[in-house]
Amino acid sequence: MSGLRVLAVDDEQPALEDVAYLLRADPRIGDVLTARDGAAALRLLDRAIADGRPIDAVFLDIRMRGLDGVVLGRLLTQFTRPPKIVFVTAYEDHAVDAFELKAEDYLLKPVRPERLAEAIRRVCGSRGEPGEGPQADTIPVELGGVTRFVASTEVRYVEAQGDYARLHTATGSHLVRIPLATLEERWASAGFLRVHRSHLVAVKHIDELHIDSGKCVVRVGETEIPVSRRHTRELRDLLVRRARRGQAQ
């Protein structure tokens, strides 16, 4: 495939020049367009579509005069062929917005070349470049003032805590401001199943299922998770189908 055609958007000229310079230095990038505000970005995107050369990815600042990056990102998701979005910002408090818009990455300024290279890799992977497998969905979490991304493949189960959700991995847990219902919908295709009003489980990490006196629980590692009656049959049938596929293979 040809190099990516990308658009960098930032209302601060020095920051825009820095990101554009780093993008042009990457061999996976073909054309780099730039815009100083959201309105100009939309005009460039429309012109690119009209010319038959649509933009593959937008590297987008968030806090801009006029049309801010989050609003612009929402507009981009309405395109027939939406470009991939990578947020580039000096602020950490929009990571949830990035997740909800299915952004490929969330970079903090000043942008380090290695982090930009990783963001480009994610864009290439989701675009289907040769040699790149499908990318796991990721969710931003805060660790000691640093934003990092936890892949859905790392998560064993999720526990609802009000409007928040706690992601449990093999090495610990992370509290994120995202409702369990949002994760249920977003991660259904990644093998997660709602087993209780307060729990979402990665089916591949279920070690055992117990049904005793009509009550069902599953064991994930050392943790036992209740399964509501309305979800018991669906989960049991799913585990049986998975076991049969394993035997067939």
Side-chain angles (χ1 to χ4, degrees):
M1 284 188 181
S2 60
L4 293 172
R5 196 160 194 249
V6 302
L7 170 63
V9 187
D10 199 311
D11 63 351
E12 296 180 356
Q13 188 66 31
L16 182 62
E17 291 175 354
D18 287 346
V19 171
Y21 173 81
L22 292 173
L23 287 168
R24 292 187 177 105
D26 193 292
R28 294 166 293 186
I29 301 295
D31 298 329
V32 178
L33 286 71
T34 61
R36 288 285 303 275
D37 56 57
L42 285 174
R43 288 194 295 270
L44 283 171
L45 287 159
D46 287 340
R47 190 179 309 147
I49 293 171
D51 292 342
R53 302 178 63 205
I55 301 297
D56 295 303
V58 179
F59 290 76
L60 181 59
D61 188 22
I62 289 182
R63 297 192 184 179
M64 297 187 294
R65 293 182 296 274
L67 196 65
D68 74 19
V70 173
V71 174
L72 178 56
R74 292 194 180 107
L75 291 174
L76 296 182
T77 64
Q78 304 304 312
F79 280 32
T80 302
R81 180 190 165 190
K84 303 302 178 183
I85 299 172
V86 175
F87 282 115
V88 184
T89 178
Y91 304 95
E92 299 180 358
D93 54 351
H94 290 283
V96 172
D97 293 316
F99 175 76
E100 292 177 344
L101 290 171
K102 300 184 180 180
E104 296 298 319
D105 212 337
Y106 188 90
L107 307 182
L108 291 176
K109 298 177 182 178
V111 178
R112 292 180 287 118
E114 61 270 23
R115 278 295 286 120
L116 184 65
E118 169 63 15
I120 295 170
R121 186 189 69 79
R122 290 177 187 237
V123 170
C124 289
S126 61
R127 182 174 178 244
E129 291 287 1
E132 296 280 358
Q135 300 300 301
D137 196 10
T138 57
I139 186 168
V141 301
E142 301 296 325
L143 292 173
V146 176
T147 300
R148 68 174 289 256
F149 283 76
V150 173
S152 57
T153 51
E154 299 177 56
V155 179
R156 296 185 168 193
Y157 66 96
V158 186
E159 181 181 6
Q161 295 188 351
D163 292 333
Y164 289 72
R166 184 169 292 278
L167 312 179
H168 293 268
T169 69
T171 57
S173 67
H174 310 280
L175 189 66
V176 294
R177 195 178 60 189
I178 298 175
L180 192 67
T182 299
L183 289 175
E184 177 186 8
E185 179 181 356
R186 178 90 179 254
W187 286 355
S189 61
F192 283 78
L193 184 68
R194 185 78 166 260
V195 298
H196 190 273
R197 60 185 176 84
S198 60
H199 286 92
L200 186 67
V201 175
V203 175
K204 69 179 181 180
H205 287 300
I206 294 177
D207 298 312
E208 293 180 0
L209 179 146
H210 298 287
I211 301 177
D212 185 18
S213 301
K215 294 183 178 180
C216 180
V217 298
V218 291
R219 184 171 62 80
V220 178
E222 300 300 319
T223 303
E224 288 194 345
I225 298 171
V227 181
S228 66
R229 184 167 298 178
R230 65 187 293 259
H231 291 106
T232 297
R233 173 171 290 186
E234 179 185 7
L235 176 60
R236 183 180 57 196
D237 292 347
L238 180 61
L239 292 175
V240 168
R241 289 197 301 270
R242 189 178 68 160
R244 286 175 178 167
R245 284 198 300 268
Q247 291 171 357
Q249 293 172 356

